[in-house]
Amino acid sequence: MADNSELNKRISECQEQVAAACRVLRLSEVRIRINELQNESEKPDFWNNPEYAQIVSKELSKLRTKIEPWENIENQLKDAEELSALNDDSLLEEIVENINKIENELIERKLDLRYSGAYDDYDVIISIHAGAGGTDAQDWAEMLERMYLRWSEANNLKTIIIERSAGDEAGLKSVSYTIEGPLVFGKLKSEHGVHRLVRLSPFNSDNLRQTSFAKVEIMPKIDTPNVIEVDEKDLKIDVYRSGGKGGQSVNTTDSAVRITHIPTGIVVAIQNERSQLQNKEMAMTILRSKLAQLQLEQHVEAVAELKGPNEQAAWGNQIRNYVLHPYKLVKDVRTGHESSDPEKVLDGGIDEFIFAYLDSQPNE
């Protein structure tokens, strides 16, 4: 049986680990934000705007889920410290059991440190764009869409389509949708970039080897304006007629909205929603999300410091290669992680690439 000095040392080591984790996860900032949201939710007119109230309630629930396990460990450590201070030999067995439990929980909780980024617990807006490669690239974009939808389904995540543009002959030109669930951005941020496919083309009569590119944008879904503040003076807003198939009112009114963020040149156009107001709200959500992602890429604090996205430079720098011919291999350029089973990967089995990327990153 361990003596008190050894137990106190183990308690102290656990406390140091918890303190370090709290710094990495910015839990002091989380507590401040929880208090702000709690005060907001207690206002008498809080539910007068149900949509806003749901956004606040959802964020509050997410933040509590993030902080509660660490607060529980802190409380368990206080209890163990108090018991140890009693110097009662009859309590030693109970104290040892408690510390063993805390140490095991800390090992499990260390996985949380992978998700220490500012937006890691946010939902995601994912956009996939066919790049160089013609019809093959449009087919490749649809293959990637299927991969992420399968991954979402396997992880019990909710997906909602925003817009989808079909390809000329096959596949798709572009698609955007939301993925909702715990730590989605923290996991999927590794997928942001250009994906390259090498295969025998099913779209030419000679069945030649074809290289295709598609760009995947992973953005934290920013619902609330206070997270990313955008100056109205920096926006150019155009309203135009929706261009979908006829027969519905959405296609016969000037409901489509295009928003240009003048300082960066980012353009967001939405026409899927039923009303101009809904289209504008969705366009603003996507714009804030794009600006947040740009901040992460350019390592700047304020939106005002952002430069326009360098699409051309990004387009030539693939993050992952998927080779189906003359051999089978998926390789991540950044981490070197490989899989010789591209069928499994394209069926949604991307967790090994996600975790390899997260393990390669320093805690933020």
Side-chain angles (χ1 to χ4, degrees):
M1 179 68 66
D3 59 23
N4 269 39
S5 62
E6 182 186 337
L7 294 177
N8 287 334
K9 181 182 178 184
R10 288 172 66 188
I11 291 171
S12 177
E13 288 172 349
C14 288
Q15 288 172 330
E16 289 174 5
Q17 289 182 54
V18 171
C22 288
R23 286 193 296 273
V24 170
L25 295 170
R26 303 180 180 93
L27 294 192
S28 59
E29 297 174 22
V30 172
R31 289 187 176 99
I32 293 170
R33 183 62 180 157
I34 286 175
N35 288 335
E36 290 175 351
L37 295 171
Q38 186 66 46
N39 292 336
E40 187 73 14
S41 68
E42 291 171 356
K43 291 180 179 178
D45 60 348
F46 177 65
W47 284 102
N48 288 356
N49 184 343
E51 188 175 347
Y52 172 72
Q54 286 175 0
I55 291 171
V56 170
S57 300
K58 184 178 176 182
E59 184 182 354
L60 189 55
S61 174
K62 230 178 221 185
L63 293 177
R64 283 175 174 159
T65 299
K66 182 176 183 176
I67 203 171
E68 280 173 2
W70 294 97
E71 290 184 334
N72 289 337
I73 293 174
E74 286 177 330
N75 291 333
Q76 291 172 45
L77 283 169
K78 285 179 185 176
D79 292 342
E81 198 172 30
E82 289 172 2
L83 288 176
S84 180
L86 295 174
N87 289 316
D88 186 341
D89 289 345
S90 66
L91 296 174
L92 282 177
E93 187 174 347
E94 180 183 350
I95 297 170
V96 169
E97 287 180 3
N98 289 347
I99 295 175
N100 287 342
K101 181 181 175 184
I102 291 167
E103 288 174 339
N104 288 333
E105 191 168 349
L106 276 173
I107 291 171
E108 293 181 20
R109 282 287 149 197
K110 279 183 180 177
L111 295 177
D112 290 357
L113 301 183
R114 286 170 162 169
Y115 309 109
S116 57
Y119 303 112
D120 280 5
D121 56 353
Y122 278 61
D123 295 332
V124 154
I125 295 176
I126 177 172
S127 294
I128 303 170
H129 307 272
T135 302
D136 275 281
Q138 293 175 7
D139 186 55
W140 173 223
E142 188 171 48
M143 290 168 66
L144 287 172
E145 178 194 37
R146 177 182 179 275
M147 182 177 80
Y148 293 119
L149 289 175
R150 285 293 182 92
W151 179 83
S152 300
E153 183 182 357
N155 286 278
N156 298 312
L157 303 175
K158 182 180 179 181
T159 58
I160 302 173
I161 189 78
I162 298 174
E163 285 200 308
R164 195 174 194 275
S165 175
D168 297 323
E169 298 177 36
L172 57 89
K173 294 177 181 177
S174 65
V175 64
S176 296
Y177 50 94
T178 62
I179 304 178
E180 300 178 358
L183 298 168
V184 181
F185 181 74
K187 293 173 181 176
L188 282 184
K189 63 185 178 183
S190 62
E191 301 302 296
H192 184 84
V194 175
H195 296 243
R196 173 176 173 262
L197 173 69
V198 180
R199 64 171 175 175
L200 294 178
S201 172
F203 299 105
N204 66 57
S205 56
D206 297 325
N207 200 31
L208 298 175
R209 191 168 67 171
Q210 175 76 30
T211 299
S212 309
F213 295 88
K215 183 177 182 181
V216 176
E217 289 183 290
I218 303 292
M219 300 162 282
K221 185 173 180 245
I222 310 296
D223 290 307
T224 49
N226 62 307
V227 176
I228 294 288
E229 295 183 2
V230 181
D231 193 331
E232 288 282 338
K233 296 190 298 248
D234 290 338
L235 301 178
K236 179 176 181 288
I237 302 176
D238 298 304
V239 177
Y240 59 99
R241 192 168 295 262
S242 299
K245 295 176 182 178
Q248 295 178 334
S249 61
V250 68
N251 303 307
T252 57
T253 60
D254 292 334
S255 60
V257 174
R258 182 190 300 109
I259 298 178
T260 304
H261 186 248
I262 298 168
T264 60
I266 292 175
V267 179
V268 179
I270 294 293
Q271 62 178 20
N272 257 27
E273 304 297 341
R274 284 281 175 181
S275 72
Q276 185 184 126
L277 178 61
Q278 287 175 311
N279 280 323
K280 183 181 178 184
E281 287 175 353
M282 177 54 71
M284 284 302 299
T285 295
I286 295 174
L287 175 61
R288 286 191 294 267
S289 301
K290 283 180 176 285
L291 291 172
Q293 176 59 40
L294 205 56
Q295 272 186 289
L296 294 176
E297 289 177 5
Q298 298 184 3
H299 306 288
V300 299
E301 294 295 324
V303 170
E305 300 174 33
L306 288 173
K307 301 174 183 176
N310 189 341
E311 293 290 341
Q312 188 174 0
W315 200 254
N317 296 326
Q318 67 264 24
I319 62 163
R320 192 176 300 148
N321 294 311
Y322 304 71
V323 181
L324 305 185
H325 183 84
Y327 52 87
K328 293 181 180 292
L329 182 70
V330 180
K331 181 171 182 178
D332 196 288
V333 175
R334 301 157 301 175
T335 64
H337 186 79
E338 297 181 355
S339 170
S340 58
D341 190 355
E343 286 80 9
K344 176 187 172 185
V345 175
L346 292 171
D347 201 35
I350 59 174
D351 279 343
E352 60 183 281
F353 288 93
I354 289 173
F355 295 136
Y357 176 83
L358 291 172
D359 289 341
S360 73
Q361 302 298 299
N363 288 330
E364 298 177 41

